Structure formats: C-alpha cells, structure tokens
Amino acid sequence: MPFEKTLDYQVDHTLAGRLGKEIYEKAIEQQKIISEQDYATIKFLGERAIRPPFRTPVHKTPADHGMHVWEDIYFPSSDGIPLEGWYIPSVKGESDKLIIINHPLPMSRSGFTGHFGEPFSSVDDLEIDFVIEMKHLSDAGYNILAYDLRNHGNSGTANNNICGIGRYEWRDVVGAQNYVNNHPELSKMKVALYNRCTGGNAAYEAMYKHPELFENIVCFFGPMTLCMTAMMKKFAGYAGVGQYMELMAFEQLKLGGFTHYEMDPKPFAPAVKIPYFMAEVLDDAWTDNPNDAQAIFDLIGSAEKELFWIEGTNRRFDAYNYFGQYPEKMIAFFDKYMK
C-alpha cells in the first residue's frame, strides 16, 4: 500500500514536539489574515530573536583599564566550537579566586559598540563596557576568565549562526567549565560565575544538564536573564502585531531556530542551587518586568538568593553598565561567598 502523507500526520506527529497542534493551527490561521506589511514585520522580529544581526567586536582589551598582564586563551565548547577569551590575573598579585564571565546577545566579552554607529546603533547607541567591571573585580583580588559565546565576538560560528538565548550556548558554559576543571592551576581555585542575560540562561541549562561539572562553583552573579516570549511580545506590541505571536514562532521554526516559547530559562532555573544574585530593570521597556524576572527568580533553586531591581531607567542596556558604574553590590556578593 503506498504511503499517503496527510495534514493530520504532519501536525500530530511532526510538529507536536515543537509548536504543538494548537499553536500551529493558530499560526496557519494568522497567516491567512495578516497583511503583507505586518507579515514582513513578524518575519523581521522573529529573525532578530534567533540570529544576531551583526558581531560586536572585542573593542577593548584589559590594558584599556590598567590590567596590563593577561593571556589570550581559547578552548572548545562541549560540542567542539572554538571559543576565545582572556585570562586576567588579579592586579593585586597571587589569588586563589576565579570568576568566569560571559555576556548577552548581541555583545562580546568586552561589551557593546553602539557608539560606533551602524549597524550596532540600530539596537542601541550606547557603549557598554564590561572590561571596567573586570577591573573592579581585579582590584578586589579576583582572577578573571572572560570569553565570547559562539557566534559572538571572536568565537566560532555554529548552528547556522542561530542564537538560542541559552539553548545552544549552554554548551559553551560547559566548555568553559571543562577548561577550568582540567587546568592545572585554575582547577585549584575557588570559582564563581558571572553570566548575564543569554549567558545566564545558558548557565541554568548547563547546570541542569551537567550538575556534576559545577560542584566547585561557590556562587552565581546572574543579571538580566529573561524569557524570550516576554521580550518578543513587547516588541510585537510596539509594532502593532502583538496578536500574531504564534505566527512569529512558526516563522522562527521555519528559519531553523528555536521558537520564542522554547527560549525560556524557567524549566532550568531550579538547577541553580548555589547562592545567587539577580539584577533586573524594574521598568524595562523591552520585556515584561517585574513579572518576567520575578517568575524566573522564584524558580531559582538556591536557598540564598537576591533579586535587585535597577530603577530610574527603562532602558535595558543601561543595566549592562550598572555594575561598572556602581560595583559595590557586585563586589560585596563575591566577597561574601568567596572569602
């Protein structure tokens, strides 16, 4: 008997594990009624959520902030993607304390170059300086290992240049942890994580999948994690296409990415069981705070955790400079748990 492919077969079996029948059927109905202009907007937003529109260069070095001794390092992610980074010993001299740092989409280990103009200023015209934070930590007696996630900075290209907001990048967190755990000197140090946004989501999932690799981590500083649906609903609402979220997810799937529903750190947050610090913009214009951040924070598995609200701005990118300008809480957190 010849094989007959039916729509029911496609929906009930092929799509059930990703979109699901209900979301798929809504997406198809939305596809029938959406205007050409709105469809173009949905496609644009959907792609921006899964594929970095550019690579932010590593625009500063440690020397720019007086850290004149550092080492360029490289190591593989757990799936073999080459990752580039720095090892910066404390300017205070020999230290047994190490902080592993990564970054958000679409930045690099050094920050963001909105002040360079296009294409970066199409996201935000702000310069973000992560190296000054490394200087504050170095001055406080900490060694630093900072690295670029896949498809960012100077690290390798992978997954058709798709960003999973943690769903692929957890493999990079595992790669960094393997590098430290197998290093003859770094493996003997007290180790903490400083993972922001995409990097924080990635760390949740890495801890969920490989808890045994993180047994030596003493604390986790994790600003700005988010669920991508909360962000994309905000952007879609601003563009007047908020009623087409199912269609946006369908377009993301068609592009080979994760859907915004799948780019959610909440299923993995309970795996974080070490002392944890979260910082978020209370009135973030790009996401649904305080609801989104609070929902993630509530699921963090640590008995010792703090959620700090950054107020006085609604610009998400302002928060990425916050601890460079006001490092006291950051340093106090690490000092408390790494003494």
Side-chain angles (χ1 to χ4, degrees), residues 9-312:
Y9 174 84
Q10 290 176 317
V11 173
D12 291 343
H13 297 276
T14 307
L15 292 173
R18 299 293 303 277
L19 287 176
K21 183 176 180 179
E22 181 180 354
I23 291 176
Y24 174 76
E25 289 178 345
K26 286 183 179 179
I28 295 301
E29 289 304 310
Q30 291 166 8
Q31 200 173 45
K32 292 175 183 176
I33 63 172
I34 193 171
S35 70
E36 184 177 341
Q37 180 178 349
D38 285 350
Y39 203 177
T41 300
I42 281 292
K43 289 180 177 180
F44 172 80
L45 291 173
E47 184 166 14
R48 273 294 181 99
I50 65 170
R51 183 176 285 120
F54 47 75
R55 278 189 182 238
T56 297
V58 179
H59 72 300
K60 291 189 171 183
T61 73
D64 287 307
H65 287 298
M67 297 174 287
H68 295 290
V69 177
W70 82 89
E71 179 184 353
D72 290 317
I73 60 172
Y74 49 89
F75 50 86
S77 68
S78 65
D79 59 354
I81 305 305
L83 306 177
E84 299 274 340
W86 296 316
Y87 173 67
I88 311 168
S90 170
V91 296
K92 293 293 187 181
E94 188 171 341
S95 170
D96 66 346
K97 295 176 285 189
L98 175 70
I99 300 175
I100 305 174
I101 305 177
N102 65 24
H103 60 84
L105 165 84
M107 304 178 198
S108 73
R109 78 189 95 137
S110 67
F112 184 69
T113 52
H115 62 306
F116 281 8
E118 294 293 342
F120 315 106
S121 58
S122 65
V123 176
D124 197 296
D125 61 5
L126 191 67
E127 179 187 12
I128 294 170
D129 185 354
F130 290 152
V131 183
I132 188 63
E133 295 184 15
M134 299 175 201
K135 171 61 171 172
H136 292 318
L137 292 167
S138 180
D139 285 344
Y142 294 97
N143 305 315
I144 304 296
L145 189 158
Y147 66 99
D148 297 323
L149 298 168
R150 65 186 58 209
N151 301 320
H152 291 76
N154 295 335
S155 287
T157 301
N159 314 112
N160 195 28
N161 204 35
I162 295 293
C163 179
I165 316 297
R167 302 309 313 278
Y168 284 131
E169 295 76 12
W170 68 266
R171 304 170 191 178
D172 306 337
V173 175
V174 168
Q177 196 62 37
N178 281 332
Y179 178 80
V180 169
N181 289 350
N182 293 313
H183 193 279
E185 296 176 6
L186 304 186
S187 61
K188 299 174 184 177
M189 296 182 181
K190 298 175 185 176
V191 184
L193 299 182
Y194 184 173
N195 293 4
R196 315 168 183 90
C197 194
T198 294
N201 286 16
Y204 295 177
E205 189 161 352
M207 290 178 157
Y208 179 89
K209 291 179 182 294
H210 292 285
E212 73 284 356
L213 296 178
F214 297 89
E215 292 176 353
N216 65 326
I217 302 297
V218 297
C219 59
F220 184 167
F221 197 76
M224 306 302 288
T225 54
L226 85 164
C227 172
M228 207 58 176
T229 297
M231 176 172 278
M232 299 320 296
K233 275 185 177 178
K234 232 12 172 355
F235 287 162
Y238 291 143
V241 293
Q243 67 271 43
Y244 299 118
M245 296 307 295
E246 292 84 3
L247 182 55
M248 182 190 293
F250 189 30
E251 292 301 318
Q252 291 167 330
L253 187 60
K254 286 160 64 177
L255 288 167
F258 291 97
T259 71
H260 58 84
Y261 300 118
E262 293 173 305
M263 292 186 284
D264 185 348
K266 290 194 290 294
F268 310 109
V272 180
K273 298 184 182 299
I274 53 179
Y276 180 79
F277 184 99
M278 185 178 192
E280 300 279 342
V281 176
L282 180 63
D283 298 317
D284 192 338
W286 285 10
T287 189
D288 180 28
N289 276 351
N291 297 325
D292 183 52
Q294 190 69 56
I296 296 168
F297 179 77
D298 289 346
L299 289 168
I300 293 291
S302 173
E304 297 180 70
K305 58 183 181 179
E306 178 182 351
L307 173 51
F308 172 65
W309 293 111
I310 296 171
E311 301 185 58

